[in-house]
């Protein structure tokens, strides 16, 4: 018998078994998104009521308590209105343009913050657009502003930038602007004149009678209003004198203008009233360069109450402007105009914040 040879070839590995297909239960579909009908059912009101409340058109039609219940139910259910469908239905883009003189200004950054907060509550966006060269004319930032925007909010300091946008027929809300200006859908003003009167009263009460007004060289209604209010307040007190020196809105220009004013012949002023805090910071530098102490030899006041006001030493006496409220009221005014409602009337109040840069004049009177 022939011996049986064992095969030396390796066995091929068995192919991997395919997983057995079982009839597993199908994956559950995502739950449907809540609708306005769900909100209405949860509150026990009609869908029309839900639409009025969430569209911010409920005032005078729905009670405050019901509106709050609708908002609470919408938040609890996670309901979000279909903004795209609403925009198509209303023919709106839900976009506003905010025109400001510069993006680097702290004041206008806070205005934008306030406007954007109110806009977000109503499903709007805010496009921030700076006027070139601060106050010069600007081109329409869009190929067709009317096709891209629902309205414009603009600072009076950027009034020259609005020519291209006025022609688009868009609702225009002006901030801190001349009440006599026409072609404006709504206006949000600060009580600028009262702020300057508060400065004058503060310094007069301290005993100052010789003033220099370090004025902004920008030709804008807000600075014209400041100058008029200051001169009127000082003119009412016998024995008071005031001289105006204009400067660009930066610390370097403010320092140079203040040095010129303080070094002029005649009795030296005991108080410098500045149109904004940046000019006031420049004025404080000028005083130090001339060997004067603030406030012992010279009082300095600003306007705006920027972060800079408490960064200098001594801290700056200034007028506090509610910049975020300006933005909030501006956006609310535009929303009111779009809804056919009157905007909230009245000017926003301002207040003087007295700090270390103002004190009574030197006991020996103004030096020469």
């Amino acid at each position: 018998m022939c011996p049986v040879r064992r095969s030396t070839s390796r066995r091929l590995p068995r192919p991997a078994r395919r997983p057995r297909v079982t009839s597993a239960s199908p994956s559950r579909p995502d739950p449907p998104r809540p609708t306005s009908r769900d909100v209405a059912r949860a509150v026990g009101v009609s869908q029309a009521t839900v639409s009025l409340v969430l569209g911010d058109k409920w005032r005078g039609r729905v009670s405050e308590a019901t509106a709050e219940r609708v908002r609470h139910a919408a938040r609890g259910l996670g309901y979000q209105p279909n903004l795209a469908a609403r925009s198509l239905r209303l023919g709106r883009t839900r976009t506003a343009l905010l025109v400001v003189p510069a993006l680097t200004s702290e004041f206008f950054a806070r205005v934008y913050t306030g406007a954007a907060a109110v806009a977000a509550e109503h499903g709007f966006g805010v496009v921030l657009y700076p006027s070139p060269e601060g106050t010069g004319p600007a081109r329409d930032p869009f190929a067709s502003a009317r096709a891209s925007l629902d309205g414009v909010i603009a600072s009076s300091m950027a009034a020259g930038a609005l020519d291209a946008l006025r022609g688009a027929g868009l609702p225009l809300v002006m901030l801190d602007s001349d009440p006599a200006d026409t072609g404006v859908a709504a206006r949000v003003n600060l009580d600028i004149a009262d702020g300057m009167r508060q400065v004058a009263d503060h310094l007069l009460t301290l005993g100052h009678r010789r003033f220099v007004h370090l004025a902004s060289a920008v030709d804008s209604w807000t600075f014209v209003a400041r100058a008029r209010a200051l001169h009127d307040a000082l003119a009412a007190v016998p024995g008071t004198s005031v001289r105006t020196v204009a400067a660009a809105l930066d610390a370097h220009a403010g320092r140079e203008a203040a040095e010129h004013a303080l070094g002029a012949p005649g009795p030296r002023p005991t108080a410098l009233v500045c149109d904004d805090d940046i000019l006031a910071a420049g004025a404080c530098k000028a005083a130090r360069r001339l060997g004067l102490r603030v406030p012992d030899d010279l009082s300095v006041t600003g306007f705006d109450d920027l972060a800079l006001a408490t960064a200098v030493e001594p801290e700056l006496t200034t007028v506090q402007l509610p910049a975020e409220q300006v933005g909030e009221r501006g956006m609310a005014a535009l929303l009111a105009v779009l809804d056919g409602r009157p905007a909230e009337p009245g000017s926003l109040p301002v207040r003087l914040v007295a700090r270390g840069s103002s004190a009574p004049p030197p006991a020996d009177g103004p030096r020469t």
Side-chain angles (χ1 to χ4, degrees):
M1 295 179 60
C2 296
V4 178
R5 295 183 179 179
R6 294 181 179 177
S7 172
T8 58
S9 62
R10 296 181 180 179
R11 292 183 179 178
L12 295 174
R14 293 181 180 178
R17 291 184 178 180
R18 294 181 179 177
R20 182 177 297 175
V21 178
T22 59
S23 57
S25 60
S27 59
R28 294 180 179 177
D30 294 335
R33 293 178 60 181
T35 65
S36 61
R37 181 177 298 176
D38 298 324
V39 178
R41 188 181 297 116
V43 181
V45 297
S46 66
Q47 279 184 267
T49 298
V50 172
S51 297
L52 287 172
V53 172
L54 299 183
D56 200 32
K57 298 181 179 180
W58 58 273
R59 293 172 182 80
R61 305 179 186 181
V62 179
S63 69
E64 176 70 47
T66 300
E68 181 55 36
R69 286 168 52 212
V70 169
R71 288 191 290 263
H72 179 75
R75 288 193 296 268
L77 292 172
Y79 171 69
Q80 294 289 337
N82 189 331
L83 297 181
R86 182 190 293 177
S87 297
L88 288 173
R89 185 173 66 254
L90 298 177
R92 294 181 183 172
T93 63
R94 307 192 73 76
T95 304
L97 183 72
L98 175 61
V99 183
V100 298
L103 295 178
T104 54
S105 166
E106 177 190 335
F107 177 83
F108 291 110
R110 286 158 51 193
V111 169
Y112 170 78
T113 299
V118 172
E121 292 175 1
H122 296 82
F124 265 70
V126 177
V127 177
L128 186 59
Y129 184 62
S131 166
E133 307 300 329
T135 56
R139 294 182 300 275
D140 180 349
F142 302 97
S144 173
R146 186 166 183 77
S148 308
L149 301 168
D150 287 332
V152 179
I153 307 168
S155 161
S156 67
M157 288 182 64
L162 304 178
D163 292 341
L165 295 170
R166 285 180 187 271
L170 293 166
L172 174 61
V173 175
M174 290 298 298
L175 309 179
D176 195 21
S177 66
D178 188 350
D181 186 20
T182 58
V184 175
R187 182 177 284 103
V188 176
N189 270 359
L190 294 156
D191 200 342
I192 291 294
D194 182 61
M196 197 55 94
R197 284 192 292 267
Q198 291 181 49
V199 171
D201 290 346
H202 171 69
L203 293 172
L204 288 167
T205 301
L206 289 173
H208 291 276
R209 293 298 181 268
R210 296 189 182 276
F211 296 85
V212 164
H213 177 207
L214 193 52
S216 165
V218 176
D219 183 15
S220 175
W221 174 85
T222 185
F223 295 120
V224 172
R226 294 174 204 202
R228 184 184 302 118
L230 176 64
H231 284 257
D232 288 349
L234 297 182
V237 178
T240 299
S241 64
V242 58
R243 186 159 62 94
T244 299
V245 179
L249 281 176
D250 64 71
H252 177 75
R255 177 185 62 78
E256 289 188 336
E259 284 183 1
H260 178 74
L262 293 171
R268 178 175 286 158
T270 62
L272 257 64
V273 180
C274 305
D275 266 354
D276 84 340
D277 294 343
I278 297 174
L279 290 177
C284 290
K285 291 185 70 174
R288 285 194 298 271
R289 290 194 176 199
L290 294 172
L292 300 174
R293 296 167 299 169
V294 176
D296 300 327
D297 300 316
L298 178 73
S299 288
V300 178
T301 64
F303 218 96
D304 285 352
D305 198 24
L306 306 177
L308 174 68
T310 54
V312 298
E313 185 61 40
E315 295 186 355
L316 197 60
T317 294
T318 187
V319 175
Q320 188 178 79
L321 305 182
E324 287 194 27
Q325 275 187 270
V326 172
E328 291 168 359
R329 282 273 292 267
M331 189 66 214
L334 179 58
L335 292 171
V337 170
L338 292 173
D339 290 342
R341 296 182 285 110
E344 185 177 352
S347 299
L348 290 168
V350 303
R351 71 182 186 95
L352 178 77
V353 181
R355 297 193 180 103
S357 69
S358 58
D364 57 351
R367 294 183 297 172
T368 58

